[in-house]
C-alpha cells in the first residue's frame, strides 16, 4: 500500500522527469503563489496522485479478470498529476493568456492560449499510448488523473484570501465547466453524458450543486483572470424579449 503514495515521487521515463521538473519548478511557483500555501500544492500532487493510483489499481485488476489481454505485471512509473493536472490549473489561472502565436500561415495560423493546453496534452498523451506504448494502465492513469484533478479543483479546493479573510470552495465559474475543456465538434455528444453524470453524482452526494451567488462570485474571479464571459443563448433571448416588452410599454 505504501507504493500508492511513494510512486507519486518516482519516474522511470526521462521525458516525464524533464516535463515534471519544468512543471514543478516554473508552474509550481505560480500555482503556489495563487494558492497562498505550499501545503495546497503538496496536497494537490500527493493526495490527487494517490487517489488516481488507487483507482488505476482497482480498475486494472478488475479489467484483468474480464479481459485476458490486460497486463498487470508492468509497473506504472509515478503519476501524471503535474503533467496533466497542472495544465488544468493553468487554464484556470491564465485562460486567455497566449503561450505562442503562429502567424502568416493561412488556416494554420493560431493563437495558442493556456485554455487549449489541457486538451492538447490529453490528446498527445492518449495518441502516444495508443500508437507507441500500448500500455492500458498508463492510458487509464492519464484520464483518471484528468477527471480527478478537475473534480478537485471544481468542487473541493479551498482558496482563502488574506486581504478580507474570505474563502471559496471550488471553482463554480461557467468557463471552468468540464464541457469547455473539449473541442466544439464533440460538445453536442459529450454534453448529455456530462449532464447525466453530474445529476447522478449529486444524487449520490459525491458533489454538491453550486448556489447562484457562488457562480456569480466565481465568474467575477474568472473575469479578473481574463476569462471571457460565456453568454447563455436562452438567457440572452429572455433579456431581449423583456427589453422589447419594456420598450413597447414605454411607447
Amino acid at each position: 500500500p505504501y507504493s500508492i503514495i511513494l510512486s507519486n515521487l518516482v519516474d522511470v521515463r526521462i521525458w516525464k522527469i524533464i516535463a515534471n521538473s519544468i512543471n514543478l519548478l516554473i508552474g509550481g511557483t505560480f500555482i503556489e503563489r495563487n494558492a497562498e500555501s505550499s501545503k495546497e500544492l503538496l496536497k494537490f500532487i500527493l493526495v490527487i496522485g494517490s487517489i488516481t493510483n488507487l483507482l488505476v489499481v482497482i480498475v486494472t485488476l478488475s479489467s484483468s479478470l474480464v479481459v485476458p489481454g490486460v497486463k498487470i505485471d508492468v509497473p506504472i512509473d509515478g503519476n501524471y498529476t503535474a503533467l496533466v493536472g497542472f495544465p488544468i490549473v493553468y487554464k484556470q489561472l491564465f485562460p486567455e493568456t497566449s503561450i505562442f502565436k503562429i502567424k502568416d500561415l493561412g488556416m494554420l495560423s493560431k493563437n495558442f492560449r493556456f485554455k487549449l493546453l489541457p486538451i492538447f496534452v490529453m490528446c498527445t498523451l492518449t495518441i502516444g499510448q495508443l500508437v507507441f506504448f500500448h500500455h492500458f494502465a498508463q492510458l487509464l492513469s492519464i484520464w483518471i488523473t484528468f477527471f480527478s484533478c478537475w473534480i478537485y479543483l471544481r468542487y473541493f479546493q479551498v482558496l482563502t484570501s488574506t486581504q478580507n479573510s474570505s474563502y471559496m470552495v471550488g471553482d463554480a465559474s461557467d468557463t471552468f465547466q468540464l464541457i469547455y475543456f473539449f473541442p466544439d465538434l464533440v460538445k453536442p455528444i459529450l454534453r448529455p453524458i456530462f449532464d447525466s453524470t453530474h445529476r447522478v453524482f449529486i444524487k449520490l452526494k459525491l458533489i454538491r450543486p453550486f448556489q447562484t451567488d457562488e457562480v456569480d462570485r466565481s465568474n467575477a474571479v474568472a473575469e479578473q483572470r481574463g476569462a471571457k464571459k460565456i453568454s447563455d443563448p436562452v438567457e440572452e433571448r429572455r433579456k431581449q424579449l423583456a427589453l422589447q416588452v419594456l420598450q413597447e410599454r414605454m411607447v
Side-chain angles (χ1 to χ4, degrees), residues 91-105:
K91 170 183 167 59
Q92 184 185 36
L93 298 180
F94 323 106
E96 296 296 331
T97 302
S98 297
I99 302 176
F100 61 84
K101 295 181 180 180
I102 302 176
K103 297 182 179 180
D104 303 325
L105 291 179

Side-chain angles (χ1 to χ4, degrees), residues 128-183:
Q129 291 296 333
L130 292 175
V131 177
F132 300 106
F133 302 113
H134 308 290
H135 196 328
F136 172 77
Q138 289 283 3
L139 181 60
L140 193 64
S141 179
I142 291 169
W143 281 97
I144 289 180
T145 300
F146 173 79
F147 289 113
S148 299
C149 291
W150 176 81
I151 290 173
Y152 171 74
L153 294 170
R154 177 71 169 173
Y155 295 102
F156 299 105
Q157 185 185 37
V158 179
L159 295 177
T160 58
S161 175
T162 56
Q163 296 179 353
N164 52 14
S165 300
S166 62
Y167 69 93
M168 293 175 55
V169 179
D171 185 344
S173 61
D174 294 328
T175 55
F176 203 61
Q177 295 180 62
L178 184 60
I179 193 68
Y180 292 109
F181 281 81
F182 296 87

